[in-house]
Amino acid sequence: MRTSVKTVVALPALAAVMLTASACGGASAHSEEPAEAAAYSYLEAISEIAGAHGGNRAVGSSGGRATRDYIVEELTQMGYQPRTQSVTSTDGDVGANILADTGGSGRTVILGAHYDSVKQGPGINDNGSGVATLLAIGERLRTTRPDLNVRLAFWDSEEYGIAGSQTYVKSMSPAEMKSVVAYINADMTGTREPTAIVYDADGSSAKRLAEDSKDDPEMARALEALMPPKDVASEKLEATLRDCLGRENIPVDDDLSLNGSSDTAPFVGRVPVGGAVLTHEVTLPNNVLQFAPGYHSPNDTIDTVDADVLERTTDAMWCSVRAVSAGALS
Ligand code: PHE
Ligand code: ZN
Ligand code: ZN
């Protein structure tokens, strides 16, 4: 497949090299499970919170605090005992992570999503959607308990230095680190007409890109930074995520390499890592490329979200958690 370099985005702590290829075909299998829970109803609540706080849920803001209170309240009602961990953003704003466990000792799979928005908008798809996905899964976990502990992690300040997940990883003891079977990240799970980017554990897309840009030393250096450390469990997790997304007819981009982005980054090289970010690239009139309509702007409202995609991606994440707990990575 011929690929061409579209753009290189390099923000502090965010680096993604994007390649375009011909449109991916969706997988053909249909999900056999009925969509039971409504992730969308959680998202509606988050959208209302944003509306009540000036269209903003950034770390340290009243909308950010109201989102945190909402998540804690929902988890408590479901029977969890959520705990918080203080986080300071790169701008000096103070927020908190929220962590909740299904219980049991020993092996843990962490399912994470950032709940903060950028200061420029309400962050409903990025990443109220991921929060809605986690809450819906939290609900399913009440009746279907996997064989290991599932830790739901709601990160603050992803948008400002990936500070929440970074703080958490730094706080982990070696024993805790060893008990983590996988970290799975959910970001932008409600994108319309999506193409999912999964964490590229084997570096295949970066390698392909390197082939195509042999005579570009700057690109070669950028690609070097995108090569993930060799980790077989992460490779199996990538395959699991691809399989679960495929079952839900969410197409996965094969030609996009992603490393160091979002809340997967602090976990890389420490525990098996995987995750999905759903994109729908749009080029604005000023030639700036957006990952999805409304991305990081006041227009990242509930109108940008496809409720059906949100439920299907939630199902895919649930599928992944269950596969991991059933031993898919061992
Ligand atoms: N969703 C990430 C954010 O919070 C950015 C991102 C987009 C990461 C696309 C990877 C791919 O801004
Ligand atoms: Zn963002
Ligand atoms: Zn995000």
Side-chain angles (χ1 to χ4, degrees):
M1 196 185 325
R2 236 192 75 81
T3 58
S4 63
V5 178
K6 191 166 196 177
T7 187
V8 176
V9 181
L11 304 170
L14 172 93
V17 170
M18 306 187 65
L19 300 176
T20 49
S22 51
C24 282
S28 52
H30 284 278
S31 167
E32 283 145 35
E33 281 178 33
E36 348 163 359
Y40 193 76
S41 65
Y42 295 113
L43 191 63
E44 285 177 317
I46 294 168
S47 174
E48 279 172 28
I49 290 167
H53 294 269
N56 179 255
R57 303 182 306 98
V59 56
S61 71
S62 65
R65 282 188 294 276
T67 305
R68 174 157 73 247
D69 291 346
Y70 169 71
I71 294 167
V72 167
E73 171 70 26
E74 288 297 322
L75 290 169
T76 304
Q77 270 181 28
M78 288 179 211
Y80 292 92
Q81 291 171 299
R83 61 189 188 282
T84 57
Q85 176 184 41
S86 180
V87 173
T88 304
S89 81
T90 41
D91 286 354
D93 294 309
V94 177
N97 294 327
I98 305 155
L99 301 148
D101 289 277
T102 54
S105 56
R107 301 177 312 137
T108 294
V109 53
I110 305 175
L111 182 62
H114 72 88
Y115 74 85
D116 67 314
S117 73
V118 289
K119 293 176 186 176
Q120 292 81 3
I124 300 306
N125 192 37
D126 180 18
N127 189 26
S129 64
V131 172
T133 290
L134 261 61
L135 289 174
I137 287 175
E139 181 132 339
R140 291 179 197 188
L141 285 165
R142 303 167 72 188
T143 47
T144 311
R145 276 285 180 87
D147 233 9
L148 39 60
N149 177 38
V150 180
R151 179 167 300 156
L152 301 172
F154 301 84
W155 311 121
D156 208 343
S157 195
E158 186 266 2
E159 301 291 6
Y160 299 92
I162 315 184
S165 50
Q166 190 78 253
T167 298
Y168 174 75
V169 167
K170 280 187 185 153
S171 75
M172 288 170 88
S173 70
E176 205 181 347
M177 199 74 87
K178 264 185 82 175
S179 72
V180 176
V181 180
Y183 175 71
I184 305 175
N185 194 58
D187 202 344
M188 299 168 67
T189 53
T191 304
R192 276 180 202 281
E193 296 171 54
T195 300
I197 309 167
V198 298
Y199 174 75
D200 183 23
D202 61 3
S204 57
S205 55
K207 280 182 202 138
R208 200 157 36 229
L209 224 170
E211 281 295 306
D212 288 5
S213 52
K214 277 198 181 96
D215 37 339
D216 183 343
E218 206 179 314
M219 181 62 84
R221 266 195 303 277
L223 289 169
E224 216 33 59
L226 293 176
M227 284 303 293
K230 173 79 184 166
D231 180 49
V232 174
S234 296
E235 288 175 25
K236 289 181 181 170
L237 181 52
E238 180 182 354
T240 299
L241 281 160
R242 283 174 179 272
D243 178 52
C244 290
L245 289 162
R247 286 175 200 226
E248 299 297 334
N249 289 320
I250 305 286
V252 177
D253 194 330
D254 269 323
D255 293 301
L256 195 138
S257 174
L258 157 78
N259 197 352
S261 309
S262 196
D263 294 302
T264 43
F267 291 94
V268 173
R270 297 187 162 89
V271 300
V273 166
V277 184
L278 270 57
T279 64
H280 179 128
E281 290 176 37
V282 283
T283 308
L284 301 180
N286 58 3
N287 247 341
V288 166
L289 185 117
Q290 273 189 330
F291 287 124
Y295 177 77
H296 284 189
S297 86
N299 297 328
D300 185 4
T301 65
I302 199 152
D303 298 338
T304 69
V305 168
D306 182 326
D308 186 56
V309 168
L310 179 64
E311 304 303 341
R312 277 152 53 208
T313 310
T314 300
D315 286 350
M317 289 290 163
W318 178 229
C319 160
S320 304
V321 169
R322 295 217 291 183
V324 168
S325 77
L329 310 188
S330 48

